[in-house]
Amino acid sequence: MSTFDAVPDLGLNWLDASGDHAEIVLSTRVRLARNLQGHAFGPRARVNDREAVLSRVRQHSDRLDSLEGATVLHMPDLDARRRTILLERRLASRELIGSADAEPANGTAVVVSGRHPLNVMVNEEDHLRLQSVVSGLRLREAWSQVDRLDEELGRELPYAFHHEFGFLTSCPTNTGTGLRASVLVHLPGLVLTKEISKVLHALGQVGLTFRGLYGEGSEVVGNFFQISNQTTLGKSEEDLLDHLDQVVRKVIQHEREARQVLLRDAGSVTEDKIWRAYGLLRYARSLSFEELMNLLSGVRLGVSLKLLPELRVYTLNKLMIFTQPAHLEEAAGRDLTPSESDAHRAAFVRRILGSEGDVSPDGPESSDERPAPGA
Amino acid sequence: MSTFDAVPDLGLNWLDASGDHAEIVLSTRVRLARNLQGHAFGPRARVNDREAVLSRVRQHSDRLDSLEGATVLHMPDLDARRRTILLERRLASRELIGSADAEPANGTAVVVSGRHPLNVMVNEEDHLRLQSVVSGLRLREAWSQVDRLDEELGRELPYAFHHEFGFLTSCPTNTGTGLRASVLVHLPGLVLTKEISKVLHALGQVGLTFRGLYGEGSEVVGNFFQISNQTTLGKSEEDLLDHLDQVVRKVIQHEREARQVLLRDAGSVTEDKIWRAYGLLRYARSLSFEELMNLLSGVRLGVSLKLLPELRVYTLNKLMIFTQPAHLEEAAGRDLTPSESDAHRAAFVRRILGSEGDVSPDGPESSDERPAPGA
């Protein structure tokens, strides 16, 4: 059994929906970009730089409190499917895992803490990308996790730091604090009421940006938006986090208002849409990932609006992750064609929703105003 | 309680799916057009003609064996909703029940036998339209029923008959035998394999025609086609019926072959479509009649292909009839707006499918080749 198999829930603590506003905020992520003195970084890094960096990280990975019980996954040692699983779990970037045309470089790795919601990408764009991902809206928590790791690691390793610019990074947009915090929010209300573009525009005006589920360059699916800071320089980490926190709370407020508008102006249409999504998930024989995400978006809205109270947010989170192509192939123990993948996805969804117990087709509402045609 | 309320299953014996090929053939209908000597018929009939005809029918309606326990429903005595219910049960034509602009004429009526699958439209296009509707493909049975009624009635009432032309009717296309036999068939396989137009074209070439669910001028919904004879003159009733029976059996054969082709070439797509239809019926909050019919078409195909064996054809037949607008209003005890109607329809479907017992989302197939992703 490889190290990979030993950690089936590798880096997935944030799925448990335990955080604040968990039905709207899937997760909070804070990452710090760091580079080591004495080794070229960014595009100038050579294989010996990368191997030296990884070797220094390995030395410490198990000795630091934050990385207790850590698993070090060296990219070239993993097959393509498992590397993709790391991407699907948001533990590795598309750049890190390589592709069919470009095998991952020697020295590229992901370190996953055994006890804390922490991981480190090694030799991605920067030598180190320390990140913490936690459930719900918990910027302080994610920050304090990653800050502790940063301190512990910084005591052992010589960070590249400039007294004026701060931490030096491969791309100048990360220089300074090296911090990017992002919050993954589910905004179906704003999408359905067509208020979303206004909100996204306003984000830009206050120095924030948004991305899809898989970060930079990825498309928005299932009405999930990653909202994050654009600036990393000239402000303290606390200021950056406070600002993001305040804005995200406002976005959540707008989302809640949009949902009330939806219920008021199109209650039965919305309810119908939610139940249809559930019905399709419960019975479909083939689901593309995109369709699944759209249906899950409807069902998640239903859970949040207490129309589908028997379903747990945790279940919905789990469905998002384990229905991705590499996860399905891992479970099947073999490669899957796209149509096989769609069939396995649908079967998995049926199984999980079935094991959740049946949601009564009549929902939580009592039987008042229920027509009773005589047959 | 009006006479109407006394017969909740008024004329609905054919729903029970007891006939041959019941999963493909919904019903067989045979009707005879008859007019009485001494009274103007067709467009020349006046109110006193119509009233006299109805009065003569009333005299006999309960004394004939075929009409034992008959209910006579005089159109002007029924409110619009109940007249529409008769249309929805295919006991009355659109012409007979009148409309908001044209109240039904005095003397127009429907007589429904209490013990036999027989009914008579009085003062529609012809003085009398005797008809028998039975479940499945049973042309002989429907014919013998209506033939007996015709004989019994013909002994009491003087039919307009011409030694050369046969029975005289308002429209010359019905003259001769006055017989129209029609078989209501469900042909999703031929529709999905796009073979249907060929089959329908061939019907025309052998003197048959097709219509939608509600007869002349009605659209095809839910892949239901009424196949019937076009000619009524110059052939014996037996010949007409035998010909129709032979052709319909061929159509059924083509439909079965088309289903096999579907399963072979697009098995998983078809299965997915069927289960999605079931999932939507099971959970939707709003269903138009047209959408319902399309979903029921998918589910009916699934039952026929043994993919949804827990469902009875009888249940599907019942859903078709009792979800029509006037039936829903009757059950609700009030008028319904279109959107209320869609909501009541969806609620009724959920209730009936729920009382049928849950269909396992995994269907009848065993667990072989079933992916088991580990979550």
Side-chain angles (χ1 to χ4, degrees):
Chain A
M1 183 180 273
S2 83
T3 327
F4 193 94
D5 292 317
V7 271
D9 64 345
L10 197 69
L12 289 178
N13 304 310
W14 57 273
L15 279 186
D16 70 2
S18 62
D20 296 347
H21 306 287
E23 87 284 11
I24 291 182
V25 181
L26 197 73
S27 62
T28 297
R29 189 173 72 100
V30 176
R31 72 102 167 109
L32 296 173
R34 297 290 184 258
N35 290 280
L36 303 189
Q37 294 171 24
H39 303 285
F41 55 88
R44 290 183 302 117
R46 295 293 142 104
V47 67
N48 56 333
D49 295 309
R50 288 194 299 267
E51 283 175 348
V53 168
L54 178 57
S55 155
R56 301 189 72 169
V57 170
R58 275 194 200 275
Q59 267 175 33
H60 299 285
S61 68
D62 224 16
R63 298 215 315 261
L64 306 182
D65 269 3
S66 296
L67 294 182
E68 196 186 330
T71 307
V72 180
L73 300 163
H74 187 219
M75 289 300 116
D77 298 343
L78 298 179
D79 58 28
R81 185 191 294 153
R82 285 171 173 201
R83 297 198 303 270
T84 307
I85 285 179
L86 296 175
L87 174 69
E88 291 175 352
R89 293 188 183 192
R90 301 154 71 216
L91 291 168
S93 65
R94 204 169 281 284
E95 193 181 335
L96 193 75
I97 67 166
S99 65
D101 308 326
E103 285 292 304
N106 269 342
T108 53
V110 171
V111 182
V112 187
S113 170
R115 291 176 49 89
H116 301 283
L118 283 166
N119 64 78
V120 183
M121 275 196 289
V122 182
N123 291 311
E124 203 245 21
E125 190 181 294
D126 296 295
H127 286 157
L128 305 176
R129 289 277 176 105
L130 321 181
Q131 61 172 10
S132 174
V133 184
V134 296
S135 167
L137 178 61
R138 284 194 295 175
L139 281 159
R140 286 274 145 197
E141 162 76 7
W143 164 245
S144 81
Q145 291 278 354
V146 83
D147 186 40
R148 186 160 70 103
L149 171 58
D150 185 43
E151 268 186 42
E152 291 179 8
L153 212 52
R155 275 200 292 270
E156 309 291 338
L157 301 176
Y159 285 158
F161 184 84
H162 185 278
H163 64 95
E164 199 176 332
F165 301 134
F167 294 100
L168 298 179
T169 54
S170 167
C171 176
T173 59
N174 289 314
T175 295
T177 57
L179 177 141
R180 186 181 298 275
S182 60
V183 180
L184 185 56
V185 287
H186 183 231
L187 305 177
L190 290 169
V191 171
L192 288 169
T193 56
K194 301 188 175 18
E195 297 288 312
I196 190 70
S197 53
K198 233 187 288 178
V199 170
L200 298 176
H201 182 70
L203 290 179
Q205 294 183 317
V206 296
L208 301 182
T209 187
F210 76 95
R211 293 158 176 191
L213 197 55
Y214 299 104
E216 203 157 347
S218 70
E219 278 190 46
V220 170
V221 286
N223 302 317
F224 279 105
F225 298 82
Q226 273 202 71
I227 301 176
S228 62
N229 62 309
Q230 231 164 349
T231 326
T232 58
L233 185 70
K235 279 187 177 174
S236 74
E237 289 84 349
E238 281 78 5
D239 285 350
L240 290 170
L241 294 167
D242 281 348
H243 179 57
L244 180 60
D245 191 63
Q246 280 165 26
V247 175
V248 168
R249 283 177 197 277
K250 268 190 204 147
V251 172
I252 294 172
Q253 184 53 35
H254 284 308
E255 171 64 18
R256 291 202 198 280
E257 284 161 14
R259 292 177 181 193
Q260 290 316 308
V261 169
L262 262 190
L263 284 185
R264 193 192 63 206
D265 298 349
S268 43
V269 172
T270 306
E271 204 185 334
D272 185 48
K273 200 187 277 268
I274 287 166
W275 281 102
R276 282 170 181 255
Y278 181 76
L280 289 175
L281 290 176
R282 199 84 179 77
Y283 288 100
R285 260 45 192 164
S286 174
L287 287 170
S288 71
F289 184 68
E290 195 185 342
E291 183 185 12
L292 170 74
M293 287 298 290
N294 287 329
L295 297 175
L296 277 181
S297 177
V299 168
R300 193 178 190 93
L301 178 62
V303 171
S304 180
L305 294 175
K306 311 268 184 277
L307 293 169
L308 289 162
E310 292 99 329
L311 273 177
R312 289 176 300 161
V313 175
Y314 170 54
T315 305
L316 304 181
N317 292 349
K318 200 163 58 173
L319 286 176
M320 281 175 59
I321 298 301
F322 287 92
T323 55
Q324 295 171 102
H327 276 83
L328 292 175
E329 291 194 345
E330 183 72 8
R334 62 177 176 94
D335 290 349
L336 299 173
T337 65
S339 75
E340 284 176 335
S341 188
D342 290 351
H344 280 239
R345 180 172 298 113
F348 179 74
V349 171
R350 291 200 304 280
R351 195 163 69 81
I352 296 296
L353 289 182
S355 68
E356 256 316 84
D358 257 319
V359 170
S360 153
D362 277 308
E365 72 269 54
S366 61
S367 63
D368 52 312
E369 248 313 277
R370 201 136 288 284
Chain B
M1 184 179 270
S2 81
T3 327
F4 193 95
D5 292 315
V7 272
D9 65 344
L10 199 68
L12 289 177
N13 304 309
W14 57 273
L15 279 185
D16 70 3
S18 62
D20 295 351
H21 306 288
E23 88 285 10
I24 291 183
V25 181
L26 198 73
S27 61
T28 297
R29 190 173 70 100
V30 176
R31 70 105 171 108
L32 295 172
R34 297 291 183 258
N35 288 280
L36 303 190
Q37 293 171 25
H39 303 285
F41 55 87
R44 291 183 302 114
R46 294 296 140 102
V47 67
N48 57 330
D49 294 309
R50 289 194 299 267
E51 284 176 345
V53 168
L54 177 58
S55 155
R56 300 187 72 168
V57 170
R58 274 193 199 274
Q59 267 176 33
H60 299 285
S61 68
D62 222 17
R63 297 213 315 260
L64 306 181
D65 268 3
S66 296
L67 294 182
E68 196 187 331
T71 307
V72 179
L73 299 162
H74 186 220
M75 288 299 118
D77 297 344
L78 297 178
D79 59 29
R81 183 191 297 152
R82 287 174 169 196
R83 296 197 305 267
T84 307
I85 285 180
L86 295 176
L87 174 68
E88 290 175 354
R89 294 189 182 190
R90 302 155 70 216
L91 291 168
S93 65
R94 204 170 280 283
E95 191 182 337
L96 194 75
I97 67 167
S99 65
D101 306 327
E103 285 292 303
N106 267 343
T108 55
V110 171
V111 181
V112 186
S113 170
R115 291 176 51 89
H116 302 284
L118 283 167
N119 64 77
V120 182
M121 275 197 286
V122 181
N123 291 311
E124 205 245 19
E125 190 180 295
D126 295 296
H127 285 156
L128 304 177
R129 289 276 177 105
L130 319 182
Q131 64 173 7
S132 175
V133 184
V134 297
S135 169
L137 179 59
R138 286 194 293 177
L139 280 159
R140 286 275 146 197
E141 162 74 6
W143 164 245
S144 82
Q145 289 279 353
V146 81
D147 185 39
R148 186 163 67 103
L149 170 59
D150 184 43
E151 270 186 39
E152 290 179 7
L153 211 52
R155 276 198 292 270
E156 308 292 337
L157 301 176
Y159 286 155
F161 184 84
H162 183 279
H163 65 95
E164 198 177 331
F165 300 134
F167 292 100
L168 299 179
T169 53
S170 165
C171 175
T173 59
N174 288 313
T175 295
T177 58
L179 175 143
R180 184 180 298 275
S182 59
V183 179
L184 185 56
V185 287
H186 183 231
L187 305 175
L190 290 169
V191 171
L192 289 169
T193 56
K194 301 192 175 18
E195 296 288 313
I196 189 71
S197 52
K198 232 187 287 177
V199 170
L200 297 177
H201 182 69
L203 290 180
Q205 296 183 313
V206 294
L208 301 182
T209 186
F210 76 96
R211 295 159 174 190
L213 197 55
Y214 300 105
E216 201 158 348
S218 69
E219 279 190 44
V220 170
V221 287
N223 302 319
F224 279 105
F225 298 80
Q226 273 200 72
I227 301 177
S228 62
N229 62 309
Q230 232 165 348
T231 326
T232 59
L233 185 71
K235 281 188 176 174
S236 74
E237 289 84 350
E238 280 77 6
D239 286 350
L240 290 170
L241 294 167
D242 281 349
H243 179 57
L244 179 62
D245 191 64
Q246 280 166 26
V247 175
V248 167
R249 283 177 196 278
K250 268 189 203 146
V251 171
I252 293 172
Q253 184 53 33
H254 284 308
E255 170 64 19
R256 291 201 197 279
E257 284 162 14
R259 293 178 181 192
Q260 291 315 309
V261 169
L262 263 189
L263 284 184
R264 192 192 63 206
D265 297 349
S268 43
V269 172
T270 306
E271 207 186 332
D272 185 48
K273 201 188 275 268
I274 287 166
W275 281 102
R276 282 171 181 255
Y278 182 76
L280 289 176
L281 290 177
R282 198 83 179 79
Y283 287 100
R285 260 43 192 167
S286 175
L287 287 169
S288 70
F289 184 68
E290 195 185 341
E291 184 184 11
L292 170 74
M293 287 298 291
N294 287 329
L295 297 174
L296 277 181
S297 176
V299 168
R300 194 179 190 92
L301 178 62
V303 171
S304 180
L305 295 175
K306 310 269 184 276
L307 294 169
L308 289 162
E310 294 99 328
L311 273 177
R312 289 177 299 162
V313 174
Y314 170 54
T315 305
L316 304 180
N317 292 349
K318 200 163 60 174
L319 286 176
M320 282 176 58
I321 298 301
F322 287 91
T323 56
Q324 296 173 100
H327 276 82
L328 292 174
E329 292 195 346
E330 183 73 8
R334 63 178 176 93
D335 288 350
L336 299 173
T337 65
S339 75
E340 285 177 334
S341 188
D342 290 352
H344 279 239
R345 179 173 299 112
F348 179 73
V349 170
R350 292 200 304 281
R351 195 162 69 81
I352 295 298
L353 290 181
S355 69
E356 256 317 86
D358 256 318
V359 170
S360 154
D362 276 307
E365 72 269 55
S366 65
S367 61
D368 54 313
E369 249 309 280
R370 200 134 293 279

